[in-house]
C-alpha cells in the first residue's frame, strides 16, 4: 500500500475546512493534491475525530493482516492436500514434495520445509558417492564361486587379491547383499517311549547324586541323596564330612 505524506490530523483538518464551506478547488491547490483525493478524504474521514481516525486506521491494518494470514493458511492447506495424496516413503520423496510446493504455490524454501516438516539441511543434503562398488561386485562374484564360504574366508580371499579392507566392512556388504547361507537345523530325535514308562514297581531303579551344603562355621559338607526312579521318593540321605570311594 502506498504511504501518503499527509497524516490523519492533516486530512481530518482539510475535511473540516470543506465542511466549514471552503472551496474544494482552492484547498486542493493549496495542499498540492487533486480534487479526487480530496473527495476520497471527505468520504473516509467525514464526521470523524483524530482518535477515531487512528482507531479506524488500526482496524484496517489489523483486517489487512488477518486477510494475509487467511490467504497464507488457505494456500498452505491446498498445498498439503496435494502433497498428502502422494505416498512419501523416504527423504527423496520429501525433497521432491518441497520442490513441488515451491514451484506450484510459489512458497519460499523456509516456508515449504516448515509446512512439510523437513529440515532445510536435509533438503540440501547430497549423498556421497559409493566408493565400495568394486568391492561389492568382487565380493558377490567370490560368494557365487565359493557358496560355502562365510564372510571371513571371503575377506581372506579379497585380502589376497589386493583389497585392503576391514573385515567389518566386508561383513556389512556381505549382509546387505544377502550372501549368508542358511544353517541347517539339527534334527532332534524324539523317543517314542519314555524311560520311566518301563518301570513297573519301586526299587527297580535308583538314582543318586552328590550335593553340597555348608555349616555355620563355614565348613562345607557333602550330601549323598538317593531317589527311587518309580516313586520319586528319597529312601536315604547320607551326610558326612567326606566320602570314600567304597
Amino acid at each position: 500500500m502506498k504511504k501518503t505524506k499527509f497524516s490523519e490530523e492533516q486530512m481530518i483538518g482539510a475535511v473540516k475546512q470543506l465542511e466549514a464551506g471552503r472551496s474544494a478547488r482552492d484547498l486542493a491547490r493549496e495542499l498540492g493534491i487533486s480534487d479526487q483525493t480530496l473527495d476520497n478524504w471527505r468520504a473516509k474521514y467525514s464526521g470523524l475525530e483524530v482518535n477515531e481516525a487512528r482507531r479506524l486506521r488500526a482496524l484496517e491494518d489489523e483486517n489487512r493482516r488477518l486477510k494475509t494470514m487467511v490467504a497464507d493458511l488457505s494456500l498452505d492447506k491446498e498445498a498439503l492436500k496435494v502433497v498428502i495424496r502422494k505416498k512419501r516413503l523416504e527423504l527423496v520423496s520429501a525433497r521432491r514434495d518441497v520442490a513441488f510446493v515451491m514451484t506450484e504455490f510459489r512458497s519460499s524454501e523456509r516456508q515449504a520445509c516448515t509446512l512439510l516438516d523437513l529440515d532445510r539441511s536435509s533438503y540440501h543434503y547430497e549423498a556421497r558417492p559409493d566408493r565400495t562398488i568394486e568391492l561389492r561386485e568382487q565380493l558377490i562374484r567370490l560368494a557365487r564361486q565359493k557358496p560355502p564360504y562365510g564372510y571371513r574366508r571371503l575377506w581372506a580371499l579379497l585380502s589376497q587379491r589386493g583389497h585392503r579392507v576391514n573385515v567389518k566392512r566386508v561383513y556389512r556388504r556381505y549382509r546387505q547383499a544377502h550372501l549368508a547361507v542358511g544353517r541347517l537345523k539339527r534334527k532332534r530325535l524324539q523317543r517314542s517311549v519314555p524311560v520311566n514308562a518301563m518301570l513297573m514297581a519301586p526299587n527297580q531303579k535308583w538314582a543318586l547324586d552328590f550335593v553340597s551344603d555348608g555349616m555355620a562355621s563355614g565348613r562345607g559338607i557333602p550330601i549323598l541323596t538317593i531317589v527311587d526312579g518309580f516313586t520319586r521318593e528319597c529312601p536315604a540321605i547320607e551326610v558326612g564330612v567326606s566320602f570314600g570311594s567304597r
Side-chain angles (χ1 to χ4, degrees):
M1 181 179 178
K2 185 178 179 181
K3 187 175 181 181
T4 179
K5 63 180 180 179
F6 296 96
S7 62
E8 285 85 358
E9 294 86 348
Q10 292 174 336
M11 289 186 284
I12 292 174
V15 171
K16 287 185 177 182
Q17 291 183 32
L18 291 175
E19 293 175 350
R22 187 173 179 181
S23 173
R25 180 171 298 180
D26 295 340
L27 184 58
R29 187 181 299 110
E30 179 183 344
L31 296 176
I33 59 176
S34 64
D35 296 344
Q36 183 65 35
T37 303
L38 199 57
D39 292 339
N40 293 337
W41 289 1
R42 180 188 297 175
K44 186 174 182 180
Y45 296 107
S46 179
L48 295 179
E49 297 295 333
V50 177
N51 294 335
E52 295 175 349
R54 290 177 178 175
R55 191 179 305 111
L56 178 63
R57 181 70 174 272
L59 290 175
E60 290 178 351
D61 293 341
E62 182 68 16
N63 189 27
R64 190 180 303 107
R65 188 179 65 85
L66 291 176
K67 285 183 178 180
T68 304
M69 290 178 58
V70 171
D72 293 340
L73 290 176
S74 300
L75 188 63
D76 293 346
K77 180 181 177 182
E78 187 65 24
L80 285 176
K81 281 184 178 179
V82 176
V83 173
I84 286 174
R85 296 192 191 105
K86 303 179 181 180
K87 189 175 182 181
R88 296 174 59 186
L89 299 177
E90 52 187 7
L91 179 60
V92 177
S93 301
R95 295 169 62 183
R96 190 182 302 116
D97 292 341
V98 171
F100 173 79
V101 171
M102 292 171 58
T103 304
E104 296 294 328
F105 298 93
R106 297 181 180 179
S107 300
S108 63
E109 179 184 303
R110 185 185 301 275
Q111 183 180 3
C113 290
T114 303
L115 183 63
L116 298 178
D117 194 20
L118 180 68
D119 194 84
R120 295 182 67 189
S121 60
S122 299
Y123 176 71
H124 291 287
Y125 173 76
E126 295 293 340
R128 298 179 180 178
D130 190 359
R131 297 176 297 177
T132 60
I133 297 178
E134 182 181 355
L135 173 64
R136 186 186 299 110
E137 293 177 353
Q138 188 72 12
L139 180 63
I140 294 175
R141 191 179 302 111
L142 289 176
R144 289 175 179 175
Q145 295 175 0
K146 309 287 186 180
Y149 281 18
Y151 74 95
R152 290 186 180 275
R153 299 188 69 178
L154 293 175
W155 167 74
L157 291 178
L158 290 172
S159 300
Q160 293 175 3
R161 300 191 179 189
H163 289 278
R164 300 180 60 85
V165 60
N166 190 284
V167 65
K168 296 180 180 179
R169 175 172 294 183
V170 174
Y171 174 72
R172 289 194 297 268
R173 300 298 178 267
Y174 183 81
R175 298 291 295 180
Q176 291 174 0
H178 304 285
L179 300 176
V181 180
R183 294 183 178 181
L184 295 177
K185 293 185 178 181
R186 181 179 178 183
K187 186 176 180 181
R188 297 184 178 274
L189 299 177
Q190 296 182 356
R191 298 179 181 274
S192 58
V193 181
V195 177
N196 293 338
M198 297 183 295
L199 303 178
M200 304 299 296
N203 297 326
Q204 290 183 351
K205 179 182 177 181
W206 286 358
L208 50 88
D209 194 7
F210 285 96
V211 296
S212 62
D213 201 350
M215 297 187 294
S217 61
R219 182 173 183 178
I221 52 175
I223 303 172
L224 176 62
T225 57
I226 305 174
V227 180
D228 189 287
F230 180 78
T231 62
R232 313 301 280 175
E233 295 180 354
C234 183
I237 297 179
E238 295 292 335
V239 181
V241 177
S242 61
F243 288 100
S245 60
R246 184 179 298 276

